[in-house]
Amino acid sequence: MVTLKVNSLAKSYASEQVFRDLSFQFSSGVIGIAGHNGSGKSTLLRCISGLTLPSSGTVLWNVDNSEYSNKTVSQALGYAAPYVQLYEELTAIENLKFIRDLRSSQPCKPVSSVVEIYGISGFADSLFGELSSGQQQRVKLAASVIHRPRILCLDEPGTNLDEAGYEIIQKMIQSCRENGGLVLLASNQMRELDLCDDVLNVAESK
């Protein structure tokens, strides 16, 4: 069981208020973060995951009765977004092996199985920097789950993906759900938000 508690969360840059006074609680399942472009979806996701510090408020996680803050949750969390880059000078499979080695203290999936499941085998030995945007997105998604995270943060996961790639997203979300994990999915695409059990609209917190 994974539970997320957010209390009075706010984020601003200089005089710009991104969102304010956000409080909510979710348990295992798939939660959508909706809003138009520029509404603060990505910023909220980064604050929740610990990649960005909020201006005020708290983020608390409970994963199988273990407490985490947004500063310590990284070991239980996987994150994929168009703006999260891998090493261009490494091949797709070298990137995945590198991330697996960084996560050596956790029970990682075999790289070979991730390569097959995410449809990477055809370009596994190609440099990441030379891959198409859709191929890069598949590698990023695979990298986010190689350590079997209980929390999965996906920001616009369908970016640059074809229909087969979208089916991969559906399967990875379903797998996390079936394992009692929590998926946070930031998107303004209805077909992605339709995968969610509940949806939070960030634009309403302005």
Side-chain angles (χ1 to χ4, degrees), residues 102-170:
L102 285 178
R103 298 282 192 171
S104 59
S105 62
Q106 297 167 268
C108 292
K109 298 179 180 180
V111 170
S112 58
S113 70
V114 174
V115 165
E116 180 179 355
I117 292 169
Y118 285 79
I120 296 169
S121 56
F123 50 88
D125 295 319
S126 299
L127 294 178
F128 182 79
E130 296 178 356
L131 299 178
S132 70
S133 55
Q135 291 170 335
Q136 288 186 352
Q137 182 68 355
R138 286 183 180 235
V139 180
K140 292 177 186 180
L141 291 171
S144 74
V145 298
I146 200 165
H147 58 297
R148 304 177 191 270
R150 300 299 307 283
I151 305 161
L152 192 55
C153 294
L154 303 175
D155 195 348
E156 306 287 354
T159 300
N160 300 315
L161 290 181
D162 55 14
E163 193 61 32
Y166 183 74
E167 291 176 2
I168 288 173
I169 294 173
Q170 292 177 299

Side-chain angles (χ1 to χ4, degrees), residues 32-198:
I33 300 175
H36 55 79
N37 290 337
S39 61
K41 301 186 301 297
S42 297
T43 301
L44 176 59
L45 196 63
R46 291 197 297 268
C47 287
I48 289 173
S49 64
L51 295 180
T52 298
L53 290 177
S55 300
S56 61
T58 59
V59 178
L60 297 175
W61 292 93
N62 187 294
V63 182
D64 298 333
N65 298 316
S66 295
E67 296 286 344
Y68 297 91
S69 70
N70 63 334
K71 295 181 180 180
T72 61
V73 73
S74 61
Q75 60 187 297
L77 186 146
Y79 198 105
Y83 47 82
V84 174
Q85 293 300 320
L86 301 181
Y87 291 101
E88 293 189 352
E89 66 273 20
L90 298 181
T91 66
I93 197 166
E94 285 172 343
N95 267 292
L96 294 174
K97 289 179 177 178
F98 177 74
I99 293 170
R100 176 203 60 190
D101 293 343
L102 285 178
R103 298 282 192 171
S104 59
S105 62
Q106 297 167 268
C108 292
K109 298 179 180 180
V111 170
S112 58
S113 70
V114 174
V115 165
E116 180 179 355
I117 292 169
Y118 285 79
I120 296 169
S121 56
F123 50 88
D125 295 319
S126 299
L127 294 178
F128 182 79
E130 296 178 356
L131 299 178
S132 70
S133 55
Q135 291 170 335
Q136 288 186 352
Q137 182 68 355
R138 286 183 180 235
V139 180
K140 292 177 186 180
L141 291 171
S144 74
V145 298
I146 200 165
H147 58 297
R148 304 177 191 270
R150 300 299 307 283
I151 305 161
L152 192 55
C153 294
L154 303 175
D155 195 348
E156 306 287 354
T159 300
N160 300 315
L161 290 181
D162 55 14
E163 193 61 32
Y166 183 74
E167 291 176 2
I168 288 173
I169 294 173
Q170 292 177 299
K171 290 177 181 178
M172 70 186 295
I173 289 174
Q174 185 60 25
S175 177
C176 191
R177 176 192 273 127
E178 291 175 352
N179 290 323
L182 177 62
V183 181
L184 293 165
L185 195 163
S187 180
N188 57 11
Q189 301 296 318
M190 285 308 302
R191 74 180 311 198
E192 294 181 355
L193 295 175
D194 284 344
L195 300 172
C196 303
D197 303 314
D198 201 354

